[in-house]
Amino acid sequence: MTKQISAKQRTETTLPPMNFVGFLRWNWRQLTSMNTAILLLVLVALAAIPGSILPQRTASILKVNNWKTENPRFAEIFDALGLFDVYGSFWFSAIYILLMISLIGCVIPRLNVYWKSFNEKPPKPPKEIDRFAGFQKVKINKSNFNEIESIIKKLGWRVNRNGNSLTAEKGYTREAGNLVFHASLILLTVALAFGALFSYRGTIIVKEGNGFANTLTQFDDFRAGKLFSIARMPNFYFTLNDFVVDFERGINQRGAPRKFEANITLNTEEDLKVLVNRPFTIDGTKVFLTGHGYAPRIKVINKEKEIIFSDSVTFLPQDANFTSTGVIKIADNNPQLGINAQFFPTAALDPVNGLVSVFPELDNPQLALSLWQGNLGVDEGIAQSIYRLDTSKMTQLESKELVPGQTWQTAAGYEIKFVAVEQFATFQVAYEPGKFMALVGAILAMVGMFFGLGVQRRRIWVLMPKSQKGSSVIEVAGLSKSNSHDVTKDLDKVLQSFGIEKKKAKRSRSI
Amino acid sequence: MSANSLSNLLVYFAIFLSSINLIFFSFSLTESKKNSRVSRIAMNLTWLIGFFLLGGLILRGIAAQRAPWGNMYEFAIASATAIVFTFLIIALKKDIEWMGIFIIVPVILLLGSAVVVLYTESGPLVPALKSTWLIIHVSAAIISYGAFTINFALSVVYLLKIKGKFKTLPSAARIDEFSYKIVLFAFPIWTFAVISGAIWAESAWGRYWGWDPKETWAFITWIIYAAYLHSRVTVGWKGSKSAWLSIAGYAAIVFNFFVINIWVTGLHSYAGV
Ligand code: HEM
């Protein structure tokens, strides 16, 4: 095994030959050298850092945009460098692809060497074995070297015998383990890349009593790999019958969520209970319960007693006590109307902040509304967030706090009723192909590492210079191929199996 | 007294004893004779600290009715326990009393920051953290963190040793070799921690790897220690270059625990820090 290249050899390989093939070969050798592999490992670690500090598109586009407006000076440069999508950027991919090439270039020649090593016998003992670890001369009551050979073989050593001397070697599984380990890293990377190309995931908000069908238009947020195609999306739908949530009421961690439970009915008419961490799988797609919130039902009636709005509105939770904000836009009315609303599941009056929510459950629900009139800006063709009211061309009329069931008679003649509070649940729909391959890769990596790090390659020699009748003197010594292994322990074991008890030496306690 | 306050009391005792042990261990550092009376006292005291921490941890688990590593405070206490016991178990076979001071200092720092900064009353877990994989994943992380801490301490000792400090300690080459063996032990466990974390993430969020900041730093840590192993086995790095790599690996661990957990929000944010 080519373990360490001598300094001399190394300087020789760094001189590039002048022809093209030689140049390629030189590059290949550089790429697959261990120094390069270590450099690439360090580079991959460094390259991963910015993605953990800067907001990433893959996690939240909103946060990326916020960061960009806050730091206009760097926004463009950072974006051009792919710093908001580090793990999909060309330079990150370049590093790990180089690492994989280097890995393959490392593994294949070693596979070859390993294959050959099966047919090779361990080399003959060196001339002066007394220079090696654990050298000792011992008297044994065996004169037949065949017997010695078979005992050593039985201990699992591979033996090369020459007359009255033999070399035995052990620990070949170390190399096999190492190879399996590195090969499975390649498998793992392929699986990861496969997943990144073909996966999709999206979030959906479903109000109690409503349903969801797995089509692109129904997602509030959707992301897919570069090679994903809509045709592959499984066809399913479900209805959210009701949603149960429970919060800690004790003093410790008051308000922390303790139970989420969504009761749904699938298109197969099967009833399911979806819990956090307990998703359901349908056609290879997993559906997770990830969050929830309140959806107050509101009804607006105009002067002519016509209902101009009646629906439950999803309010986005803003804090742990579910103070939530929501918006209603009534574009069909003349003038257009807008409502900015805040919802407090357990309202309380704070001397500084005014109305706040002090607990996430509906102990004292209140809705604070402010009514606007004017131009909603929805007709201008620019996509608008349904959670934001653009008040730049509107005027505020009045505001009021309501409890469920209460109706507000506004001065402008509208009648606004806070009918009831419903809930909504957020689901994550995820399709992640290649995960089985990744799991196999990971398990093989663990197994390979177990042998690659746990087994030590070592060699021992046994010589019987002259044999006598009945008893003889043998010479033994050994060599460990990894510096963390103590080969004298192996010698002790071999001698023990010859019936020679180890001298009760003081156990070494030094490190 | 409730299990929770009893647990706190034991942790405070452990901090107190560790501070006293600083004195004993610094004496035993200056003695060239092994197994001196002072180092025997220091080691016994360390056992006591270990059991106090273990007791504190168990009581915490009883108070919360679950594995006691559901938030940063508990994770810190558990890691300190792992550091102390890794040290004690090695000490059953090897004379490493001289290492005590380098172990007890990080333990005091960790426990100190746990009670001062990270403390939370015990309580049940948020639903997203309820999983058997949590127990497996986190306990693997804790065990490998314990061992990596010892490797870190040894790397620091190595660097001081080659500057001519600590004449009474084993040779620099021995310390170097020993710290390498610790990585051989810790690295596979850390690998397992990362893999089980990925399995847990798959079952909780539908993706096994999402480059969440915590995952990213777990990956960085893994890569640095892989580079460390490689540098030794294949290019024959030893001594200070290796030591600096292992310090970099430990810096990634510390960064992941203190900086990422507290300042960067991701899916992995714990309940109540
Ligand atoms: C992608 C990251 C990699 C990881 C995590 C990794 C991990 C490991 C580990 C844990 C060992 C065992 C060290 C020991 O025996 O003490 C090892 C050995 C080795 N690795 Fe890697 N490796 C990686 C990439 C590579 C690459 C790219 C190459 C090739 C250029 C490579 C070549 C080797 C070699 C030659 C050994 C020596 C094994 C022996 O002792 O016989 N590795 N690797």
Side-chain angles (χ1 to χ4, degrees):
Chain A
M1 226 102 326
T2 49
K3 254 199 129 149
Q4 279 181 31
I5 312 164
S6 73
K8 201 166 141 215
Q9 274 169 309
R10 213 176 275 155
T11 45
E12 269 165 17
T13 53
T14 50
L15 293 173
M18 293 319 280
N19 65 17
F20 183 65
V21 176
F23 178 72
L24 282 185
R25 188 175 298 150
W26 177 77
N27 271 313
W28 174 252
R29 227 179 268 148
Q30 286 299 306
L31 192 58
T32 56
S33 86
M34 211 44 230
N35 277 317
T36 314
I38 293 171
L39 182 70
L40 288 170
L41 281 173
V42 172
L43 272 181
V44 135
L46 289 176
I49 295 176
S52 72
I53 292 164
L54 289 169
Q56 297 292 295
R57 278 213 180 81
T58 47
S60 162
I61 293 172
L62 191 72
K63 280 189 186 156
V64 173
N65 290 339
N66 286 347
W67 195 93
K68 282 168 86 174
T69 42
E70 276 163 31
N71 306 275
R73 283 182 56 199
F74 302 104
E76 290 312 309
I77 312 165
F78 278 24
D79 215 356
L81 289 174
L83 285 171
F84 301 116
D85 183 16
V86 166
Y87 310 106
S89 72
F90 73 92
W91 45 272
F92 191 76
S93 321
I95 297 172
Y96 82 73
I97 289 171
L98 281 177
L99 188 61
M100 283 306 116
I101 296 175
S102 149
L103 194 54
I104 294 168
C106 236
V107 167
I108 291 177
R110 281 158 61 101
L111 258 178
N112 208 8
V113 171
Y114 186 61
W115 187 250
K116 279 190 195 143
S117 75
F118 266 108
N119 306 318
E120 271 168 12
K121 288 180 169 175
K124 285 184 189 169
K127 286 226 171 61
E128 297 154 321
I129 73 162
D130 53 341
R131 292 232 205 117
F132 287 87
F135 173 77
Q136 44 189 304
K137 285 183 177 177
V138 272
K139 222 173 168 180
I140 64 167
N141 49 12
K142 289 185 177 56
S143 55
N144 188 345
F145 206 73
N146 286 343
E147 205 179 327
I148 286 174
E149 186 185 358
S150 72
I151 289 174
I152 289 178
K153 273 187 176 158
K154 238 181 243 145
L155 288 175
W157 295 80
R158 178 165 331 154
V159 174
N160 178 16
R161 158 107 183 257
N162 286 291
N164 270 6
S165 82
L166 65 78
T167 308
E169 221 167 292
K170 211 179 189 176
Y172 289 82
T173 41
R174 177 195 179 85
E175 181 73 3
N178 260 320
L179 286 172
V180 167
F181 172 75
H182 289 84
S184 57
L185 286 186
I186 301 172
L187 188 69
L188 206 57
T189 312
V190 170
L192 220 56
F194 188 77
L197 289 175
F198 291 99
S199 64
Y200 77 80
R201 56 197 294 106
T203 43
I204 45 172
I205 292 178
V206 187
K207 289 182 276 189
E208 272 175 320
N210 287 18
F212 162 79
N214 191 31
T215 54
L216 219 48
T217 51
Q218 294 231 340
F219 284 97
D220 293 278
D221 169 51
F222 185 82
R223 260 169 248 147
K226 291 196 178 74
L227 298 181
F228 165 79
S229 81
I230 298 167
R232 285 160 153 263
M233 273 175 94
N235 234 327
F236 67 85
Y237 61 86
F238 65 84
T239 317
L240 177 64
N241 304 322
D242 77 315
F243 185 80
V244 188
V245 55
D246 193 16
F247 292 93
E248 176 67 47
R249 286 195 178 263
I251 309 164
N252 290 346
Q253 302 189 353
R254 187 176 163 79
R258 293 297 172 235
K259 183 168 115 183
F260 295 141
E261 199 176 288
N263 294 305
I264 62 162
T265 306
L266 283 178
N267 47 341
T268 54
E269 313 228 316
E270 186 187 349
D271 284 330
L272 283 179
K273 214 182 259 299
V274 189
L275 310 175
V276 174
N277 270 340
R278 195 96 56 76
F280 68 92
T281 308
I282 187 158
D283 280 348
T285 299
K286 275 190 172 180
V287 182
F288 293 80
L289 176 63
T290 52
H292 67 108
Y294 293 106
R297 179 171 285 278
I298 295 161
K299 193 192 258 181
V300 184
I301 296 170
N302 67 9
K303 278 169 249 174
E304 286 77 37
K305 295 289 171 216
E306 293 162 347
I307 299 174
I308 53 174
F309 182 88
S310 175
D311 201 359
S312 56
V313 184
T314 50
F315 274 48
L316 293 186
Q318 304 295 318
D319 59 29
N321 284 323
F322 280 75
T323 302
S324 313
T325 57
V327 159
I328 297 171
K329 298 178 189 179
I330 308 173
D332 296 342
N333 198 54
N334 190 13
Q336 291 184 328
L337 292 181
I339 298 175
N340 253 336
Q342 256 193 318
F343 177 68
F344 310 92
T346 301
L349 209 53
D350 182 274
V352 183
N353 300 316
L355 214 49
V356 290
S357 176
V358 292
F359 194 71
E361 276 181 66
L362 299 169
D363 290 358
N364 177 27
Q366 279 194 37
L367 189 65
L369 301 171
S370 76
L371 181 64
W372 296 70
Q373 127 182 345
N375 186 347
L376 283 170
V378 288
D379 310 321
E380 281 145 34
I382 306 161
Q384 263 197 349
S385 164
I386 59 162
Y387 298 108
R388 248 197 91 235
L389 193 65
D390 178 5
T391 54
S392 59
K393 290 182 194 133
M394 305 191 90
T395 45
Q396 186 172 9
L397 298 177
E398 7 176 356
S399 42
K400 170 115 180 126
E401 279 114 41
L402 300 176
V403 296
Q406 195 181 354
T407 305
W408 171 30
Q409 210 71 50
T410 72
Y414 298 101
E415 203 176 284
I416 300 176
K417 183 167 187 191
F418 176 14
V419 183
V421 189
E422 293 168 17
Q423 296 204 73
F424 69 84
T426 332
F427 293 91
Q428 166 105 252
V429 179
Y431 170 63
E432 179 87 61
K435 64 184 170 200
F436 183 71
M437 204 204 297
L439 184 63
V440 171
I443 291 171
L444 284 179
M446 278 308 307
V447 173
M449 182 188 290
F450 184 77
F451 288 101
L453 292 181
V455 176
Q456 311 298 336
R457 183 81 179 266
R458 63 267 197 206
R459 186 180 286 171
I460 55 167
W461 301 285
V462 183
L463 312 180
M464 193 178 334
K466 41 188 181 303
S467 74
Q468 297 149 356
K469 269 211 189 95
S471 75
S472 330
V473 172
I474 56 170
E475 294 175 1
V476 296
L479 172 67
S480 166
K481 293 211 162 180
S482 46
N483 43 15
S484 60
H485 181 69
D486 182 8
V487 77
T488 55
K489 283 188 191 137
D490 293 304
L491 292 172
D492 285 345
K493 258 196 204 147
V494 167
L495 291 178
Q496 233 168 355
S497 67
F498 293 159
I500 298 162
E501 276 313 312
K502 185 166 61 159
K503 278 172 258 141
K504 269 268 183 277
K506 251 196 292 153
R507 199 154 54 104
S508 155
R509 285 184 54 92
S510 69
I511 60 163
Chain B
M1 199 191 268
S2 74
N4 191 60
S5 20
L6 202 55
S7 160
N8 295 347
L9 199 62
L10 286 178
V11 171
Y12 279 114
F13 271 143
I15 297 176
F16 175 69
L17 289 182
S18 303
S19 315
I20 292 181
N21 220 356
L22 269 181
I23 303 165
F24 285 108
F25 272 132
S26 21
F27 272 118
S28 83
L29 192 64
T30 55
E31 294 197 18
S32 51
K33 200 159 60 72
K34 282 177 190 130
N35 259 318
S36 71
R37 194 196 187 97
V38 182
S39 44
R40 268 205 305 278
I41 295 174
M43 287 313 286
N44 287 334
L45 212 51
T46 312
W47 277 104
L48 204 58
I49 294 166
F51 285 121
F52 276 12
L53 286 176
L54 198 63
L57 210 55
I58 292 170
L59 283 169
R60 199 59 202 193
I62 292 170
Q65 302 276 303
R66 57 170 167 76
W69 41 76
N71 52 46
M72 275 184 79
Y73 170 76
E74 291 168 357
F75 193 82
I77 303 295
S79 300
T81 315
I83 298 170
V84 170
F85 275 100
T86 314
F87 171 65
L88 287 170
I89 289 168
I90 300 172
L92 290 178
K93 291 203 154 182
K94 304 278 177 194
D95 287 321
I96 52 163
E97 288 78 10
W98 54 269
M99 246 167 76
I101 185 109
F102 306 103
I103 302 305
I104 216 76
V105 169
V107 166
I108 291 175
L109 291 177
L110 188 56
L111 290 176
S113 64
V115 297
V116 176
V117 188
L118 308 173
Y119 185 75
T120 2
E121 292 281 319
S122 71
L125 283 181
V126 295
L129 289 177
K130 274 186 192 150
S131 161
T132 326
W133 284 107
L134 170 76
I135 301 175
I136 297 170
H137 165 67
V138 181
S139 47
I142 289 167
I143 293 170
S144 56
Y145 278 8
F148 280 135
T149 306
I150 291 181
N151 165 260
F152 165 73
L154 286 170
S155 298
V156 174
V157 177
Y158 176 87
L159 291 173
L160 293 172
K161 177 90 188 171
I162 54 171
K163 287 261 159 64
K165 306 260 161 44
F166 306 128
K167 293 275 192 293
T168 55
L169 301 194
S171 74
R174 276 245 165 103
I175 292 174
D176 184 41
E177 182 66 30
F178 190 60
S179 77
Y180 166 60
K181 280 190 186 163
I182 295 200
V183 178
L184 285 185
F185 165 75
F187 186 71
I189 300 176
W190 178 242
T191 309
F192 177 72
V194 175
I195 292 173
S196 57
I199 296 174
W200 176 31
E202 203 282 328
S203 75
W205 305 309
R207 89 285 186 292
Y208 56 89
W209 196 265
W211 295 107
D212 177 272
K214 262 210 101 116
E215 293 168 358
T216 302
W217 281 89
F219 169 78
I220 293 170
T221 306
W222 188 73
I223 288 284
I224 296 175
Y225 283 109
Y228 172 92
L229 288 180
H230 277 92
S231 67
R232 300 193 67 107
V233 179
T234 50
V235 244
W237 278 17
K238 267 193 193 271
S240 42
K241 276 195 200 166
S242 278
W244 281 113
L245 254 182
S246 96
I247 289 172
Y250 197 69
I253 293 176
V254 172
F255 187 83
N256 204 357
F257 186 61
F258 285 104
V259 182
I260 297 291
N261 269 349
I262 296 175
W263 281 294
V264 185
T265 52
L267 286 168
H268 279 84
S269 313
Y270 290 106
V273 181

